[in-house]
Amino acid sequence: MTTDQTVPDQTLGRTVPDQTVPDQTAFHVPIVDLTPYVATGSDEGAAEGTADDRTRVAREIDDACSTVGFIQIVGHGIPPEVIDGLAGAIDDFFALPLETKKAYRVAGANRGYSPPKSESLSLSLGVESADRMNDFFEAFNVGVEARSFTGLGLSEDDYGINVWPEVAHFRERVETYFSEASRVARVLTRVFADALGQPPELFDRLTDHSIDVLRMVNYALDEGPVTLDGDLRGMGEHTDFGLVTVLWADRVAGLQVLGPGGVWHDVQPVEGGLLVNLGDLTARLTNDRWMSTLHRVAPPVVDGRIMRRRSAAFFHDGNVDAVVETLPEFAGPGGDAYDPVTVRDHIAAKLAGSRHGKANTAAVREAARVRAAAHPLLSAAPAVHGPSAGR
């Protein structure tokens, strides 16, 4: 079943000072129970629930993707102890001294350690922040390696070789969670195919050697009292690059989603749930019928104090050599659609922005939404204290 999470639309003016938008409508992030699609028992191909149950779930996913682009999922089947293991691994790595962590930087690859203020995600959209304030987070990335797909002649230049820190049981805990998140992402793409009225093999052919990456993030501002001066960002506004993202996060305020009215809203995950958002490539497939929603992370501040905050995003990005183009039934009047693009070229343009400071001039639609949100009449919704989370 699906329910709606409601966040009051109070405004605080994080985009520009002392400007608010009267907005009396509530912002809803649907909660969808995936149980009817999740394999159970000894029969790996079996799924809990009837065909009618799965039809209902597919309809709920279609509604969420068409209106918000973000979903909360429960019934995903990841055991709590696996999530606890991931959280412990994140704690153990980021507790290392900075110079130790920097030894795990990997030049030119989407792997290893990224120190605080080394990235600017808004440039992945071709948008430069007014004060060139890079993002206040540190991250550690692992992912699928090309050599795991034998016989395809794939290059590690497109995937990357993992580096593993010398932290007890780090690799074991992270790989266990990675496997579970990968399963959930593939359950979601099966639901997506049903929701879009497409055969299941639509996503199979796009993802049988997918570039999948797990990005573990620690927000690096010191805990304690803080006075915010200027447009400080935990992570700048951006869309995700690939097909779908599955996110675990601490239940601490921070993640903000750009709503249809151009107002930023805080998003709060439910207990035991995961946040899901669509990436650019799924938006391309549907010609923006399904939305790759802009989001960002504000400093995790509760009652004037910086709070500790962690997250882990699993990016299911698609095959490096897959060509993604708008499905014929979603083309607009006169055949209006996104131009075809390979996953390789799309991700390279995005990473050139976030990692290397080169504005992505191809992100025309996304950049227009960011600039609209910076209009003086628009503002951001504040953190709602209590059960809350972020990216």
Side-chain angles (χ1 to χ4, degrees):
M1 65 177 292
T2 181
T3 58
D4 283 333
Q5 172 199 340
T6 301
V7 178
D9 276 336
Q10 300 164 305
T11 53
L12 185 64
R14 285 193 178 113
T15 302
V16 290
D18 303 320
Q19 298 288 343
T20 61
V21 173
D23 186 351
Q24 303 305 317
T25 61
F27 181 73
H28 301 287
V29 177
I31 303 170
V32 178
D33 187 346
L34 289 185
T35 301
Y37 275 91
V38 173
T40 58
S42 58
D43 181 359
E44 192 170 321
E48 184 91 15
T50 66
D52 286 344
D53 291 332
R54 293 191 288 277
T55 297
R56 172 181 49 78
V57 171
R59 186 181 306 115
E60 292 169 357
I61 290 289
D62 181 45
D63 288 345
C65 294
S66 301
T67 57
V68 182
F70 265 75
I71 315 158
Q72 302 226 39
I73 58 168
V74 295
H76 47 72
I78 301 182
E81 58 269 23
V82 172
I83 294 176
D84 290 344
L86 172 72
I90 291 172
D91 287 344
D92 291 346
F93 175 75
F94 288 117
L96 295 174
L98 180 60
E99 289 307 310
T100 302
K101 290 181 286 190
K102 284 183 175 180
Y104 298 105
R105 298 193 75 174
V106 180
N110 194 22
R111 293 290 186 272
Y113 180 64
S114 296
K117 298 181 68 177
S118 63
E119 300 188 26
S120 185
L121 277 166
S122 67
L123 282 173
S124 70
L125 301 176
V127 177
E128 183 174 320
S129 61
D131 55 5
R132 291 288 294 176
M133 180 69 77
N134 279 4
D135 301 331
F136 275 85
F137 68 87
E138 55 181 344
F140 192 86
N141 289 9
V142 300
V144 172
E145 298 175 345
R147 59 187 174 180
S148 64
F149 304 110
T150 58
L152 297 181
L154 301 172
S155 171
E156 296 296 0
D157 291 343
D158 294 316
Y159 289 80
I161 298 291
N162 291 319
V163 294
W164 295 101
E166 295 181 8
V167 172
H169 307 296
F170 179 89
R171 180 171 182 172
E172 172 190 343
R173 290 177 287 176
V174 170
E175 287 186 330
T176 299
Y177 180 83
F178 190 101
S179 177
E180 289 286 342
S182 174
R183 173 188 57 78
V184 171
R186 285 164 172 78
V187 168
L188 285 164
T189 54
R190 172 59 198 274
V191 183
F192 290 175
D194 289 349
L196 292 170
Q198 299 295 316
E201 56 267 22
L202 168 66
F203 286 97
D204 292 344
R205 67 176 174 80
L206 292 174
T207 60
D208 59 4
H209 49 279
S210 177
I211 302 175
D212 291 347
V213 173
L214 179 67
R215 162 160 271 210
M216 294 160 279
V217 176
N218 181 55
Y219 289 88
L221 290 168
D222 292 333
E223 293 186 60
V226 65
T227 300
L228 296 182
D229 181 16
D231 199 25
L232 185 63
R233 285 283 164 263
M235 185 178 288
E237 60 270 13
H238 63 284
T239 57
D240 288 349
F241 305 170
L243 293 168
V244 64
T245 302
V246 178
L247 178 75
W248 170 82
D250 278 325
R251 302 182 75 217
V252 175
L255 176 65
Q256 296 181 331
V257 175
L258 186 64
V263 176
W264 292 97
H265 303 267
D266 289 282
V267 174
Q268 307 175 34
V270 294
E271 184 72 38
L274 298 171
L275 286 162
V276 170
N277 63 281
L278 304 179
D280 299 336
L281 295 177
T282 299
R284 282 176 172 267
L285 285 170
T286 66
N287 206 23
D288 287 335
R289 180 177 179 273
W290 283 10
M291 298 184 294
S292 178
T293 302
L294 282 160
H295 51 284
R296 67 187 186 186
V297 178
V301 179
V302 177
D303 296 331
R305 295 182 64 86
I306 291 285
M307 306 297 290
R308 172 91 193 282
R309 193 170 173 282
R310 306 159 297 176
S311 68
F314 181 88
F315 301 106
H316 190 45
D317 287 346
N319 298 342
V320 65
D321 50 357
V323 177
V324 177
E325 56 189 324
T326 299
L327 297 167
E329 51 267 62
F330 295 108
D336 177 54
Y338 278 99
D339 292 333
V341 66
T342 64
V343 172
R344 174 190 291 111
D345 290 346
H346 174 73
I347 291 178
K350 287 279 194 169
L351 288 176
S354 65
R355 295 289 183 88
H356 307 300
K358 181 179 179 181
N360 179 12
T361 58
V364 176
R365 299 192 197 188
E366 300 97 326
R369 295 202 298 273
V370 174
R371 293 188 177 100
H375 189 279
L377 293 181
L378 299 181
S379 64
V384 177
H385 307 314
S388 57
R391 178 177 177 74

